[in-house]
């Protein structure tokens, strides 16, 4: 296991200790959250490396999920996830290598969270006019989704 994923600071270098502290802070923040809003542009068929690095720190066996004989079971509790999913092209044109939303879905499902809403802004590489319209529509949908969460409770 990576030394910065849980455990004691004993034997860790100073940078590793600092990283362990950061990871513990992010984990506590994640576990306490009722609603998560994730910004996820598509980068080369998948998610950005920064988001992957966060996934790698939050998915900890024994803390946010556990292994069982019947497959992994999520421990994260009930949460609502809103993903702003953006891309330069269009989902309809993507090929079998399109792992973007699949990766996000698999990650949250692993932790036991299935309430995921996608707010999409697509075709952002298709000129300024299309980009502005797509972003404006996504912003409106995002505000509506967040408003609905607070009106309905989680
Ligand atoms: C490194 C990199 C890889 C990208 N890969 C894809 C891709 O595979 N498919 C796609 O539709 N758009 C791709 N894009 C476009 C981004 O998804 C798009 O720029 C982003 O969603 C919008 O963010 P922006 O407003 O910062 O440009 C890529 C952009 C970058 C910088």
């Amino acid at each position: 296991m990576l030394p910065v994923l849980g455990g004691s600071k004993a034997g860790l270098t100073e940078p590793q200790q600092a990283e362990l502290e950061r990871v513990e802070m992010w984990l506590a923040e994640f576990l306490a959250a009722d609603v998560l809003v994730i910004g996820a542009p598509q980068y080369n068929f998948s998610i950005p490396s920064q988001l992957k690095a966060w996934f790698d720190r939050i998915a900890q066996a024994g803390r946010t999920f556990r292994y069982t004989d019947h497959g992994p079971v999520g421990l994260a509790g009930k949460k609502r996830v809103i993903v702003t999913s953006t891309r330069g092209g269009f989902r309809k044109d993507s090929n079998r290598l399109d792992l973007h939303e699949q990766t996000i879905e698999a990650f949250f499902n692993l932790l036991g969270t299935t309430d995921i809403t996608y707010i999409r802004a697509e075709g952002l590489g298709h000129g300024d006019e299309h980009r502005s319209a797509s972003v404006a529509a996504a912003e409106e949908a995002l505000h509506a989704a967040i408003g609905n969460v607070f009106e309905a409770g989680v």
Side-chain angles (χ1 to χ4, degrees):
M1 188 170 81
L2 288 173
V4 296
L5 298 184
S8 102
K9 283 188 183 172
L12 299 188
T13 63
E14 263 182 45
Q16 285 175 330
Q17 290 183 21
E19 178 67 3
L20 177 63
E21 272 175 27
R22 264 195 300 272
V23 172
E24 288 302 306
M25 187 187 74
W26 289 329
L27 197 66
E29 185 182 55
F30 170 75
L31 287 170
D34 295 319
V35 182
L36 289 102
V37 180
I38 306 283
Q42 182 179 49
Y43 280 3
N44 293 311
F45 315 112
S46 189
I47 57 173
S49 51
Q50 295 91 338
L51 184 57
K52 177 65 165 58
W54 185 77
F55 282 5
D56 292 342
R57 283 156 179 75
I58 297 298
Q60 292 194 29
R63 303 184 79 188
T64 48
F65 74 98
R66 67 188 169 89
Y67 293 110
T68 77
D69 292 342
H70 310 290
V73 173
L75 302 175
K78 192 174 172 211
K79 296 186 190 304
R80 171 117 197 252
V81 179
I82 299 170
V83 178
T84 58
S85 167
T86 67
R87 60 181 72 207
F90 294 93
R91 288 172 76 237
K92 68 176 173 53
D93 299 329
S94 66
N95 61 26
R96 277 181 301 141
L97 255 184
D98 189 342
L99 303 173
H100 181 234
E101 290 182 11
Q102 282 182 50
T103 305
I104 296 167
E105 193 89 8
F107 169 77
F108 284 109
N109 287 181
L110 171 72
L111 308 191
T113 300
T114 53
D115 185 352
I116 306 172
T117 302
Y118 293 94
I119 308 291
R120 298 189 177 102
E122 301 185 77
L124 301 186
H126 285 251
D128 288 346
E129 203 174 318
H130 184 93
R131 180 187 172 91
S132 303
S134 191
V135 169
E139 280 177 355
E140 201 174 309
L142 179 61
H143 286 132
I146 290 173
N148 288 343
V149 167
F150 287 108
E151 272 165 32
V154 180

